[in-house]
Amino acid sequence: MLADITLTITRCDKVSDNLLERYAVLLSDDERQRNQRYRFATDRRRDLIARALLRTQLGELLQLAPESLVFERGEHGKPALVLDKHSVPSDHSAVKSAKHLQFNLSHSDDWVVLAIADNRVGVDIESTARKNDVMAIADRYFFGSEIEELTSFHAAEQRQRFFDYWTLKEAYMKARGEGISLGLSKFGFSVANKPDITIEMDDCLNDSPSDWQFFCVTPHPDYRLAVALNASSKPSIDCYACIPFESIVSLGDVLSLEKDKKLF
């Protein structure tokens, strides 16, 4: 039985350069143009790997050639899969599968993470080593009791715990497909009883906390990873480490990422 969410992780530093040419031929003209807009070679490399991960994983799931997949961006920039009627017969199994297919990508440093589900899904990974003034960010963008809960943690914990809230906020906004326009200060999380995570939200969002499920884990001491799924019951999550065209290894469920940091 397939999990409700498939989470696939690629560490870019584990991808050999001889695979990059194979990845490059998968990209559309638009993706190539976007890739070339990145100023630094490291960013272009990571973007190329991310696109290859997305295309190969969706292609395998739908039994379509990864280079044949077509994407379009919504009003707020979130990509969606479009099946080309000229290349995919209407009776192809992919047509039915793709109708409910949702996906989301996130990256930080050399980490690339892809979430695939049948409902709206968002994923975010962040480096906790960055030097931002996190408490100033919290003062500006946190909602409701988030600030109170954050400051209730021991002072030495507060910087790390900030990223629980931040990644969850990003994952929820991405799942909704509205990004930053949703408003960071219009909803907030309680993580004091992790792994049980709850959300509260302003009425203006026209949403219900009971319609969402959340996970937040630490797959590496310097990174935080959060997932949001539009579902009323706790989903199952299968996790994999993948190098497109080379290997894919099961990592177990999402909580295993936190228990087995040695995997990365």
Side-chain angles (χ1 to χ4, degrees), residues 20-181:
L20 300 182
E21 287 187 12
R22 295 183 66 187
Y23 296 169
V25 299
L26 302 179
L27 271 57
S28 67
D29 290 341
D30 179 65
E31 286 170 326
R32 292 190 187 94
Q33 291 171 9
R34 286 177 176 272
N35 181 271
Q36 290 305 306
R37 292 174 193 157
Y38 287 102
R39 180 179 178 184
F40 299 108
T42 301
D43 294 331
R44 292 194 295 272
R45 188 178 191 274
R46 182 179 58 212
D47 176 70
L48 175 60
I49 293 168
R51 305 314 300 179
L53 177 65
L54 175 64
R55 285 180 167 276
T56 55
Q57 292 303 297
L58 290 182
E60 181 175 350
L61 184 63
L62 298 172
Q63 298 183 312
L64 295 171
E67 65 273 18
S68 72
L69 301 180
V70 178
F71 300 93
E72 66 177 13
R73 292 184 177 271
E75 179 184 354
H76 300 285
K78 186 175 182 179
L81 182 64
V82 179
L83 292 182
D84 185 344
K85 64 183 180 181
H86 299 294
S87 59
V88 182
S90 59
D91 60 349
H92 193 289
S93 61
V95 174
K96 183 178 180 180
S97 299
K99 283 183 179 179
H100 303 290
L101 188 66
Q102 301 284 320
F103 60 87
N104 195 229
L105 273 169
S106 182
H107 56 75
S108 181
D109 299 331
D110 82 313
W111 292 70
V112 175
V113 185
L114 169 66
I116 300 175
D118 284 337
N119 292 314
R120 289 185 294 170
V121 66
V123 64
D124 188 55
I125 187 165
E126 299 283 348
S127 167
T128 60
R130 63 190 192 186
K131 303 302 181 183
N132 307 62
D133 184 347
V134 296
M135 297 310 291
I137 295 172
D139 283 336
R140 181 173 181 182
Y141 293 113
F142 278 18
F143 171 88
S145 59
E146 279 182 316
I147 285 284
E148 182 180 348
E149 185 176 278
L150 176 59
T151 55
S152 73
F153 293 116
H154 190 279
E157 279 188 84
Q158 289 176 12
R159 179 178 176 80
Q160 285 293 318
R161 297 310 294 261
F162 165 86
F163 288 97
D164 289 349
Y165 301 97
W166 191 260
T167 53
L168 286 162
K169 282 176 170 289
E170 290 277 2
Y172 174 65
M173 291 190 299
K174 293 173 73 179
R176 292 256 312 209
E178 296 162 72
I180 200 73
S181 67

Side-chain angles (χ1 to χ4, degrees), residues 195-259:
D196 294 324
I197 297 168
T198 58
I199 185 173
E200 56 179 337
M201 53 187 68
D202 192 290
D203 290 342
C204 71
L205 296 185
N206 297 315
D207 206 346
S208 171
S210 62
D211 289 339
W212 291 90
Q213 301 296 320
F214 301 96
F215 293 87
C216 184
V217 296
T218 305
H220 181 282
D222 292 332
Y223 292 88
R224 195 78 83 256
L225 171 66
V227 182
L229 182 71
N230 188 201
S232 58
S233 59
K234 213 67 172 175
S236 59
I237 305 183
D238 284 347
C239 303
Y240 299 88
C242 176
I243 298 177
F245 291 146
E246 185 172 286
S247 64
I248 186 163
V249 178
S250 174
L251 302 176
D253 66 17
V254 69
L255 296 180
S256 298
L257 296 182
E258 191 150 87
K259 295 173 185 173

